[in-house]
């Protein structure tokens, strides 16, 4: 890490830790609150995206993975100090957390009383393939960022496209087949929702409480990225927001998947757009909180990702 980067690291004083803790809680509450407001109070439906064609989802995978590779380059000051396996495990886990993996599993079980009998196993099997795909994407992004220089555009694009194809068209179906074998062997069936909207406090405490998972990932990611950004604090926040939207797949989902949502044009884009707004709030408030505890002095041209491996 360069001296200019070191100067911009957050000092973990008692005051800064308190600010970060409060900011983390507020960020989690307001980010999820934007989605909850849309779906529970504004009548915006959850997106029924079952008709989105595979090629469109594949494009989404390519864009997400491309953003992850870029993030890995920016975070090379930290990830580069770890061997490939450890760096891949760290970044893969951050992507899993960013996708609300544990939160969704817990909320599934709460809404369906999945802790009874073996219902939780069925619910886990429905979510586990996508969770492992997220880990794969994060891990392979580290490998690609290390093995291929950023100025080798064609090999880089081929690697991202190939890794995305392997993940979406080979790994994911294989994982789903294994999950189906488990549920079939245990004779498990889909569990109905016991608690339905409008939810009571019993469900909401899990829905909101578990959103701390992607929020923690968001704060960890800005720790990795902030020293590598150039320019003013607003510019850094804007770049972080953009990268978060790309890594969470919200730009492609809203701009492309919405055309296949089974609803009116306006509701279709609103259905996907509520998660765009959720990520916007999550990343924006993370950036504002981090900027509040970062030294005012900024350095320009401190760490170009083009030179990182």
């Amino acid at each position: 890490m360069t001296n200019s980067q070191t100067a911009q690291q957050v000092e973990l004083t008692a005051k800064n830790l308190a600010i970060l803790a409060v900011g983390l809680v507020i960020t989690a509450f307001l980010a999820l609150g934007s989605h909850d407001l849309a779906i529970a109070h504004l009548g915006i439906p959850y997106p029924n995206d079952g008709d989105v064609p595979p090629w469109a989802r594949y494009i989404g995978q390519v864009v997400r993975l491309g953003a992850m590779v870029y993030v890995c380059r920016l975070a090379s000051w930290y990830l580069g100090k770890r061997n490939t396996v450890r760096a891949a495990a760290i970044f893969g886990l951050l992507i899993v957390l960013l996708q609300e993996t544990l939160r969704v599993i817990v909320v599934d079980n709460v809404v369906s009383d999945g802790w009874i009998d073996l219902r939780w196993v069925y619910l886990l099997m429905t979510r586990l393939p996508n969770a492992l795909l997220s880990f794969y994407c994060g891990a392979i992004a580290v490998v690609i960022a290390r093995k291929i220089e950023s100025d080798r555009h064609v090999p880089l694009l081929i690697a991202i496209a190939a890794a995305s194809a392997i993940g979406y068209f080979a790994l994911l179906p294989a994982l789903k087949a294994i999950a189906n074998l488990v549920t079939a062997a245990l004779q498990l069936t889909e569990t109905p929702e016991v608690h339905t909207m409008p939810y009571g406090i019993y469900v909401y405490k899990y829905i909101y409480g578990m959103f701390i998972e992607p929020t923690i990932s968001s704060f960890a990611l800005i720790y990795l990225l902030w020293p590598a950004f150039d320019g003013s604090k607003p510019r850094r926040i804007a770049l972080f927001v953009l990268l978060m939207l790309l890594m969470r797949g919200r730009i492609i989902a809203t701009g492309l998947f919405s055309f296949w949502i089974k609803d009116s044009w306006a509701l279709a884009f609103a259905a996907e757009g509520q998660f765009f707004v959720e990520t916007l709030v999550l990343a924006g408030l993370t950036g504002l909180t981090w900027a509040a505890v970062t030294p005012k002095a900024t350095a320009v041209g401190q760490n170009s990702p083009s030179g990182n491996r």
Side-chain angles (χ1 to χ4, degrees):
M1 188 185 300
T2 65
N3 291 333
S4 58
Q5 286 177 300
T6 303
Q8 300 197 40
Q9 289 300 304
V10 172
E11 295 184 16
L12 297 180
T13 62
K15 177 182 177 181
N16 284 347
L17 285 173
I19 293 173
L20 288 173
V22 172
L24 190 146
V25 172
I26 293 174
T27 297
F29 181 82
L30 292 182
L32 182 61
S34 64
H35 158 59
D36 184 39
L37 175 67
I39 202 166
H41 303 288
L42 297 182
I44 297 175
Y46 194 90
N48 183 4
D49 60 359
D51 288 339
V52 176
W55 66 264
R57 294 190 185 277
Y58 171 66
I59 290 175
Q61 284 293 110
V62 171
V63 172
R64 288 181 63 232
L65 184 56
M68 291 178 202
V69 171
Y70 183 70
V71 167
C72 288
R73 292 191 186 282
L74 290 174
S76 63
W77 68 267
Y78 177 87
L79 296 176
K81 297 176 182 177
R82 279 78 188 167
N83 62 42
T84 301
V85 173
R86 181 171 296 181
I90 291 171
F91 194 68
L93 179 60
L94 286 177
I95 297 301
V96 170
L97 297 178
L98 188 64
Q99 296 301 109
E100 307 177 44
T101 303
L102 181 59
R103 174 183 176 270
V104 171
I105 293 172
V106 170
V107 172
D108 277 350
N109 278 277
V110 170
V111 170
S112 303
D113 278 349
W115 313 114
I116 300 173
D117 301 323
L118 290 177
R119 294 181 186 178
W120 66 272
V121 177
Y122 176 87
L123 296 168
L124 177 63
M125 289 300 104
T126 62
R127 300 293 186 177
L128 195 56
N130 282 301
L132 293 176
L133 177 63
S134 293
F135 183 84
Y136 161 81
C137 289
I140 202 65
V142 171
V143 175
I144 294 173
R146 289 191 176 201
K147 298 299 182 181
I148 305 176
E149 295 284 359
S150 60
D151 57 355
R152 298 176 61 198
H153 302 300
V154 173
L156 185 61
L157 289 173
I158 292 174
I160 292 172
S164 298
I166 292 170
Y168 183 70
F169 293 113
L171 179 62
L172 184 60
L175 292 171
K176 287 183 176 180
I178 295 172
N180 290 336
L181 287 175
V182 173
T183 56
L186 296 176
Q187 298 182 338
L188 302 175
T189 58
E190 184 175 358
T191 57
E193 290 189 357
V194 176
H195 304 276
T196 57
M197 295 184 66
Y199 297 129
I201 188 62
Y202 171 73
V203 176
Y204 268 121
K205 68 182 180 183
Y206 289 99
I207 288 177
Y208 274 87
M210 288 302 299
F211 201 78
I212 203 72
E213 176 195 8
T215 310
I216 289 173
S217 178
S218 181
F219 274 75
L221 286 166
I222 202 168
Y223 167 77
L224 295 179
L225 292 172
W226 191 267
F229 289 154
D230 293 334
S232 65
K233 288 182 178 181
R235 183 180 184 277
R236 294 166 183 237
I237 295 171
L239 182 53
F240 178 70
V241 170
L242 175 61
L243 289 173
M244 286 283 283
L245 287 168
L246 290 170
M247 286 194 295
R248 290 193 100 199
R250 301 327 314 166
I251 292 178
I252 294 297
T254 304
L256 183 60
F257 295 0
S258 297
F259 289 102
W260 288 275
I261 301 298
K262 295 179 179 178
D263 223 315
S264 67
W265 183 88
L267 278 181
F269 277 86
E272 286 288 1
Q274 64 184 302
F275 296 105
F276 181 99
V277 173
E278 177 188 88
T279 302
L280 189 68
V281 175
L282 172 65
L285 291 180
T286 298
L288 288 172
T289 304
W290 202 260
V293 296
T294 302
K296 293 183 179 180
T298 59
V300 179
Q302 56 193 315
N303 186 35
S304 173
S306 62
N308 296 334
R309 295 192 68 178

